Amino acid sequence: NAGVTQTPKFQVLKTGQSMTLQCAQDMNHNSMYWYRQDPGMGLRLIYYSASEGTTDKGEVPNGYNVSRLNKREFSLRLESAAPSQTSVYFCATQGAGGFGDTQYFGPGTRLTVL
Amino acid sequence: DAKTTQPPSMDCAEGRAANLPCNHSTISGNEYVYWYRQIHSQGPQYIIHGLKNNETNEMASLIITEDRKSSTLILPHATLRDTAVYYCIVNNAGNNRKLIWGLGTSLAVNP
């Protein structure tokens, strides 16, 4: 099992360009999350999806849109990238049951906006 | 959600126990204590969680005080690969299950 995968691993954009970060999971989890992490900071929640077909804003949603395409996939779109969006982006999934609310993270996408 | 307080950094000698403290004095009765770690710039990794009893797994032990206002994560025999940022988080499993991440403790395991 691959767990949580993210593409691309690295990306450089110019201000104003758009892109979509992809996340896929094979853990059959209902909940999926997008976080960003700036240097020396903790993770901040951008958007999350409690189940297929639903999405909700997190702490820092401005400048982003998301799509929960199906149970496996949750994408994050930057419509017009800004230098303030330079960050590392992590996707996570969350199951239920025996492990409580454990979250499982992907390897991250390192985005630089020039 | 309750907030946590952790020391910004700690050192530990390789092979010795690493004891990482966390203060969560405003924790409520239905909130769990979770520990994650982040090695280099990888995605965070779950370590352990507990409600009020002490817990142990293959990675670590979690000691929660009787009043639940603080806890300690114990890595019994720290190795160089345990060098990471350790995050203590409290969360109510009954709500939307969002986790609030602080700055964590940067643990350096020295040879």
Side-chain angles (χ1 to χ4, degrees), chain A residues 31 33 35 37 40 42-43 45 48 90 94-95 99 101-103 105-106 110, chain B residues 34 36 38 41-44 46 49 87 91 93 96-99 101-103:
Chain A
S31 300
Y33 301 77
Y35 291 93
Q37 185 174 34
L43 279 74
L45 182 65
Y48 68 102
F90 290 103
Q94 187 165 358
F99 286 100
D101 290 304
T102 304
Q103 291 196 355
F105 287 80
R110 283 144 185 82
Chain B
Y34 293 82
Y36 287 76
Q38 188 174 25
S41 294
Q42 299 176 20
Y46 166 80
H49 77 286
Y87 296 96
N91 190 52
N96 54 20
R97 304 191 293 175
K98 293 184 291 186
L99 302 180
W101 299 75
L103 298 180

Side-chain angles (χ1 to χ4, degrees), chain A:
Chain A
N1 291 342
V4 182
T5 58
Q6 293 183 236
T7 55
K9 288 189 171 63
F10 300 92
Q11 184 70 49
V12 179
L13 293 177
K14 295 181 179 179
T15 297
Q17 288 185 316
S18 62
M19 79 161 295
T20 300
L21 284 66
Q22 305 285 355
C23 175
Q25 54 111 351
D26 61 5
M27 306 177 80
N28 201 33
H29 286 167
N30 286 324
S31 300
M32 298 186 72
Y33 301 77
W34 276 106
Y35 291 93
R36 61 176 288 174
Q37 185 174 34
D38 299 321
M41 302 287 287
L43 279 74
R44 291 185 293 170
L45 182 65
I46 305 171
Y47 270 94
Y48 68 102
S49 171
S51 62
E52 183 180 352
T54 68
T55 60
D56 285 287
K57 295 179 180 179
E59 181 185 357
V60 288
N62 291 344
Y64 305 95
N65 285 303
V66 291
S67 295
R68 183 73 184 268
L69 304 171
N70 47 54
K71 190 172 186 177
R72 289 188 64 249
E73 298 171 292
F74 189 37
S75 63
L76 178 72
R77 182 160 179 84
L78 286 71
E79 291 291 351
S80 179
S84 61
Q85 294 179 303
T86 293
S87 190
V88 181
Y89 291 84
F90 290 103
C91 175
T93 72
Q94 187 165 358
F99 286 100
D101 290 304
T102 304
Q103 291 196 355
Y104 298 86
F105 287 80
T109 293
R110 283 144 185 82
L111 175 66
T112 300
V113 183
L114 303 176

Side-chain angles (χ1 to χ4, degrees), chain B residues 48-88:
Chain B
I48 198 167
H49 77 286
L51 184 61
K52 53 183 177 182
N53 297 323
N54 298 338
E55 302 288 344
T56 295
N57 63 20
E58 66 278 4
M59 291 181 67
S61 294
L62 174 61
I63 308 298
I64 303 174
T65 57
E66 191 170 345
D67 63 7
R68 300 207 328 122
K69 293 184 177 182
S70 65
S71 61
T72 301
L73 179 74
I74 301 173
L75 308 177
H77 305 286
T79 71
L80 299 178
R81 288 175 293 182
D82 291 322
T83 293
V85 178
Y86 288 78
Y87 296 96
C88 169

